[in-house]
Amino acid sequence: ITIAAPDAAPPADVDGMIAQGAAFWPLQVARELDDAILHLRINELGIAMLVFKSHGEAANVLACDAFLEANKGHWLVNEIRHYWKRVLKRIDVTSRSLVALVEHGSCFAGFLAELLWAADRSYMMEGAFEGDNRPNAAVTLSEANFGPFPMGNDLTRLQTRFLGEPGHVDLLQAQIGEALEADAAIDAGLVTYAFDDIDWEDEIRIFLEERASFSPDAMTGMEANLRFAGPETMETRIFGRLTAWQNWIFNRPNATGKDGALQRY
């Protein structure tokens, strides 16, 4: 799933946003991403893994992010922010292995960077790649990563990621607005792995082939439960345990089919 940054900065004011209608980039992306996730979940049951990529000007993404923050008191902007919260939660409870690739020229910034922490693993390009003239891969934090889009456990994805180090989230807030390349992103704990141009293609290929060789159900139950660390809420009870197991694995051919694990048992 590849998300493209907007070609231009957001409109100057709310009237300009309303004039754009459904083409207003944060709304358009939320709708299209929501549609893609639902299609894959319902109609493509054999797919074991979703891979998120992005490309384009991170500055334009951050400008949209700032526009939503500055105008959050407007009813439509408020609804768009809630829509993004819903879409991100839908990704959190998607019973597939989730992977994010932070490549050169990517735009994982602000609220779009939430996809990195919704994913089970994230891989980032490190340093310049021979023959690649795109800007170096970077991750940029904004205020959107520290409150507006909580998970089902009522924590942000960064708070969940650093559950045992709550002070680390405060340190990350001091880095808002900085384009963190691979070394800095690894040091900050924002991505899982970083590889240079010698290792990137082989490491990504081996991982994707390895995961695709498993049953679509082989790891999703464990991953879906691990996504909801911290305090248990009614949402995590339902989506962390019940959806991952009763509503997903126990209804799959891998479990209940003619040659499924439960039939064999």
Side-chain angles (χ1 to χ4, degrees), residues 25 54 121 126 130 158 184 214 223 230 264:
W25 183 80
S54 68
R121 292 192 192 187
E126 180 181 12
E130 186 175 354
L158 286 176
F214 298 145
E223 288 168 341
R264 287 177 177 273

Side-chain angles (χ1 to χ4, degrees), residues 46-49 97 204-219 254:
I47 291 178
M49 176 172 47
S97 292
I204 299 302
R205 175 184 60 79
I206 289 169
F207 165 67
L208 295 180
E209 289 178 357
E210 178 187 63
R211 181 61 188 92
S213 70
F214 298 145
S215 157
D217 308 309
M219 293 165 58
N254 189 55

Side-chain angles (χ1 to χ4, degrees), residues 13 16 65 99 142 160 165 176 211 216 224-225 232 247-248 251:
D13 53 32
D65 187 289
V99 184
S142 79
T160 302
E165 306 172 76
I176 285 176
R211 181 61 188 92
N225 275 273
E232 188 170 62
N247 297 345
W248 173 257
N251 288 331

Side-chain angles (χ1 to χ4, degrees), residues 161-258:
R161 188 177 185 87
F162 299 105
L163 190 63
E165 306 172 76
H168 190 70
V169 178
D170 297 330
L171 295 177
L172 290 175
Q173 279 192 281
Q175 295 180 286
I176 285 176
E178 297 180 27
L180 303 174
E181 295 191 9
D183 287 344
I186 283 288
D187 289 344
L190 297 178
V191 293
T192 316
Y193 302 105
F195 296 111
D196 59 21
D197 62 340
I198 295 175
D199 295 323
W200 176 263
E201 287 192 12
D202 282 339
E203 291 288 347
I204 299 302
R205 175 184 60 79
I206 289 169
F207 165 67
L208 295 180
E209 289 178 357
E210 178 187 63
R211 181 61 188 92
S213 70
F214 298 145
S215 157
D217 308 309
M219 293 165 58
T220 51
M222 183 191 309
E223 288 168 341
N225 275 273
L226 289 173
R227 289 173 199 165
F228 295 98
E232 188 170 62
T233 66
M234 187 57 69
E235 276 192 61
T236 63
R237 288 189 185 101
I238 295 170
F239 294 115
R241 276 193 265 135
L242 298 179
T243 296
W245 294 97
Q246 283 96 323
N247 297 345
W248 173 257
I249 291 174
F250 290 164
N251 288 331
R252 295 281 292 176
N254 189 55
T256 57
K258 183 175 66 174

